[in-house]
Amino acid sequence: MAKKADQTASFMVRFNQIIFEEDGESKVQWRGKVSHVQGGEDQSFSDFNDAVKFIQERLADLTIEATKDKSPELQDSLLKKSFSLWKTMAKEGPKVIMETIKDPRKQVAHLQDQISDFGEDLMDKVPIDQWRNASRSDFNSIKDSISQLADEMKKLNAKVDAISKPVKTSRAPKTTKKATTPKKK
Amino acid sequence: MSHLQDKLQELKQFQEDAIIRIQTLGQFNLWRANDKVDSKQWGRDKTVQLLQYLISNRQRHALHKEKIMDHLWEDGDDRDFKVALHGVNKVLEPERPSRTEPSYVIRQGVSYQLDLEKIWIDVEALEQYVIIGNEAFGEDAVVSKAAYKAAIALYQGVYLPNRVFEDWSSEEREKIQILILGAYVILAEILLNENPLESIRLAQCAIAIDKTWEDAYRLQMQAYIIKGNRPQAIKAYQKCADVLDLEYGIDPLPATKKLLKEIENLH
């Protein structure tokens, strides 16, 4: 079991508020710095998500360090349970979304690289190869499927209509017959 | 003599008169009646840590023993705490007769705190000087300047540099950094016309602590212009713009850009 101190990460976050006028409009800007006490590293940020990302990366490192003597399987499992996904998401999350919108194919390849950093196990669980061309081919196949489905629906409706008509016509004369027969009698 | 000037004088006098004086900025030292306490007298590192912890939390009155132990020991027990406390008292008052109450570490039940009336500590004095400087700012330029200068003179470096990885020390370190950044920038501003070279130096000290401190770059630009050094003023702007771009991905503030334009329009 790692020492208590090795299981602790402290962060100091400094926010510096700047209010200024620009183009006749009052604006506010936040400039910040986040420091990891035990590691001594720090990072400036103007978007708080970057500070969160910094913290999450340090926390993931803490898990890696604390489990380095464990079996690879256990370490893998602990990492997955605790911070590895956080780390991936925090590191690439916002960028992934923006870049996926801009260039889906390239971004999927990039995401694959990120996941491969965590080893084969995670790669096995994330069948990203199957998603690679999702943006284009899957869209076409869905479109084709919908067209086929629509055609089938039309055919089916036509069949239903075709089935319905004889039933109605056969019943009507019967009724007429039944109605008329007594009169004739 | 103004009230603030009296306070300033009292603080300076206390630094001279105090039997126990402690330096925490840049390095850790303790003087007892003008004699520096050497490492042999300290003995264990935990003794030093306990005193440093009490200094870091000096404004939180009455620190509970359990809380202190929780921060300083992995699995410490009462005995560890007693040994360290005994070490602290021994360093502060080696001649204290046994079974008498310590003078510098005040005990209330199981809570402890330093007697700030008797111990001079650089960080405490620095904070008091900055308070006087701020209070006098705009009212008494002489006192304000003297107070900021006294605060800056005490800043010999980062708070407890050998404890930067201990979380119990980081709050105080951060507080002092912000106080000293403010003192550098305000004094640089006060001295701008009177002594632009000193303003440039003070602004540089602020930048050395935090390279993204934009006010400091703006002061340097102004000071260089007063000195008639236009290229250096533009260089200071460029440095500011580069750092802000690198660290935050942002442009300098409109005020800084406006100042650059004014400088560029100078002939």
Side-chain angles (χ1 to χ4, degrees):
Chain A
M1 184 73 186
K3 280 192 216 163
K4 191 175 136 195
D6 298 336
Q7 302 276 32
T8 305
S10 317
F11 297 91
M12 182 64 73
V13 188
R14 177 192 296 176
F15 291 96
N16 187 19
Q17 181 188 238
I18 297 169
I19 295 173
F20 60 99
E21 293 278 325
E22 194 173 37
D23 307 326
E25 195 188 330
S26 290
K27 291 186 175 175
V28 63
Q29 194 178 69
W30 288 98
R31 295 179 188 180
K33 195 171 105 173
V34 54
S35 321
H36 176 218
V37 173
Q38 288 81 4
E41 323 91 330
D42 57 39
Q43 191 184 305
S44 303
F45 64 88
S46 53
D47 178 347
F48 189 61
N49 285 327
D50 292 338
V52 172
K53 195 162 82 180
F54 175 87
I55 291 170
Q56 287 172 341
E57 283 174 6
R58 297 301 166 294
L59 296 183
D61 290 345
L62 199 71
T63 311
I64 292 166
E65 185 61 28
T67 56
K68 67 180 177 188
D69 299 329
K70 310 276 182 202
S71 68
E73 293 77 21
L74 186 60
Q75 190 184 36
D76 244 28
S77 151
L78 282 170
L79 262 174
K80 281 170 200 162
K81 280 176 190 161
S82 60
F83 298 116
S84 70
L85 204 55
W86 261 31
K87 185 177 174 182
T88 311
M89 283 308 291
K91 199 174 173 187
E92 296 301 326
K95 209 169 93 188
V96 163
I97 293 164
M98 288 313 292
E99 288 186 13
T100 306
I101 292 166
K102 283 188 215 154
D103 188 344
R105 276 164 188 255
K106 192 179 155 194
Q107 197 43 36
V108 169
H110 180 59
L111 191 62
Q112 191 177 30
D113 290 344
Q114 294 292 321
I115 291 170
S116 69
D117 287 348
F118 287 91
E120 292 298 315
D121 284 4
L122 197 57
M123 284 287 282
D124 290 347
K125 291 190 179 171
V126 185
I128 199 157
D129 267 339
Q130 295 172 23
W131 308 346
R132 185 180 276 276
N133 297 319
S135 62
R136 212 170 283 265
S137 66
D138 282 12
F139 173 71
N140 286 335
S141 86
I142 289 169
K143 207 171 76 176
D144 291 346
S145 299
I146 292 170
S147 300
Q148 281 173 17
L149 210 63
D151 289 340
E152 291 296 326
M153 284 292 284
K154 271 184 194 169
K155 284 178 194 168
L156 212 62
N157 276 340
K159 277 183 187 172
V160 169
D161 285 348
I163 294 164
S164 306
K165 275 175 194 167
V167 174
K168 281 177 192 166
T169 46
S170 64
R171 270 180 195 165
K174 267 183 192 171
T175 322
T176 320
K177 272 179 191 173
K178 273 180 187 172
T180 50
T181 312
K183 277 183 187 175
K184 280 179 185 174
K185 279 177 186 175
Chain B
M1 204 184 259
S2 74
H3 160 66
L4 290 172
Q5 199 168 1
D6 286 347
K7 273 174 89 174
L8 190 63
Q9 195 50 44
E10 273 171 35
L11 259 177
K12 286 188 171 170
Q13 198 59 45
F14 181 43
Q15 184 173 354
E16 284 175 27
D17 298 344
I19 304 221
I20 301 292
R21 284 185 295 120
I22 303 173
Q23 177 191 3
T24 61
L25 296 164
Q27 52 180 304
F28 182 75
N29 283 309
L30 187 144
W31 289 268
R32 189 180 55 226
N34 289 327
D35 285 332
K36 195 165 154 183
V37 171
D38 60 29
S39 56
K40 272 187 190 169
Q41 292 180 68
W42 281 110
R44 298 169 185 219
D45 185 54
K46 272 287 179 264
T47 306
V48 185
Q49 275 191 48
L50 177 58
L51 181 60
Q52 291 173 337
Y53 182 88
L54 292 171
I55 294 169
S56 301
N57 294 281
R58 66 192 180 280
Q59 286 161 353
R60 288 193 186 94
H61 301 299
L63 293 158
H64 198 282
K65 184 175 74 179
E66 295 294 329
K67 198 180 169 191
I68 301 172
M69 285 169 59
D70 196 38
H71 277 119
L72 296 184
W73 283 272
E74 277 288 332
D75 301 301
D77 56 24
D78 266 14
R79 202 189 117 71
D80 293 319
F81 179 78
K82 272 183 189 166
V83 169
L85 182 65
H86 176 75
V88 170
N89 282 323
K90 190 92 181 148
V91 164
L92 297 174
E93 307 171 80
E95 309 297 331
R96 181 173 60 94
S98 55
R99 304 199 182 280
T100 56
E101 278 296 306
S103 314
Y104 299 108
V105 182
I106 305 166
R107 185 172 70 89
Q108 287 174 303
V110 283
S111 297
Y112 300 83
Q113 71 185 84
L114 294 176
D115 190 341
L116 298 177
E117 305 259 305
K118 293 179 183 165
I119 304 176
W120 181 90
I121 309 167
D122 57 358
V123 275
E124 180 64 22
L126 187 149
E127 193 174 345
Q128 296 305 320
Y129 281 132
V130 171
I131 291 171
I132 295 172
N134 292 348
E135 281 182 21
F137 186 69
E139 284 181 21
D140 190 335
V142 176
V143 172
S144 184
K145 221 174 355 178
Y148 287 129
K149 277 184 181 173
I152 287 166
L154 289 177
Y155 192 74
Q156 298 294 308
V158 75
Y159 175 71
L160 296 180
N162 59 338
R163 305 289 182 209
V164 287
F165 305 118
E166 304 286 352
D167 58 2
W168 51 262
S169 72
S170 48
E171 203 175 308
E172 183 67 15
R173 188 170 299 108
E174 175 69 9
K175 189 178 85 180
I176 294 300
Q177 257 197 21
I178 295 299
L179 284 177
I180 203 67
L181 272 170
Y184 279 136
V185 169
I186 296 171
L187 188 59
E189 204 175 333
I190 293 173
L191 296 175
L192 198 56
N193 289 302
E194 181 189 327
N195 189 349
L197 276 179
E198 182 60 2
S199 286
I200 292 166
R201 190 191 72 81
L202 291 166
Q204 197 53 46
C205 291
I207 291 166
I209 293 176
D210 188 336
K211 60 184 172 187
T212 66
W213 215 252
E214 192 169 342
D215 291 356
Y217 290 102
R218 215 162 36 239
L219 279 163
Q220 282 195 330
M221 290 164 73
Q222 289 171 310
Y224 277 124
I225 283 305
I226 292 168
K227 286 297 292 172
N229 194 341
R230 193 166 163 266
Q232 276 298 333
I234 295 171
K235 222 172 160 182
Y237 174 86
Q238 202 46 57
K239 176 83 185 154
C240 172
D242 289 349
V243 168
L244 292 179
D245 183 44
L246 186 72
E247 295 291 319
Y248 300 120
I250 56 171
D251 282 343
L253 290 168
T256 316
K257 285 183 185 169
K258 193 174 158 234
L259 184 59
L260 176 73
K261 267 199 174 156
E262 286 168 13
I263 293 166
E264 283 173 339
N265 291 336
L266 287 174
H267 294 292

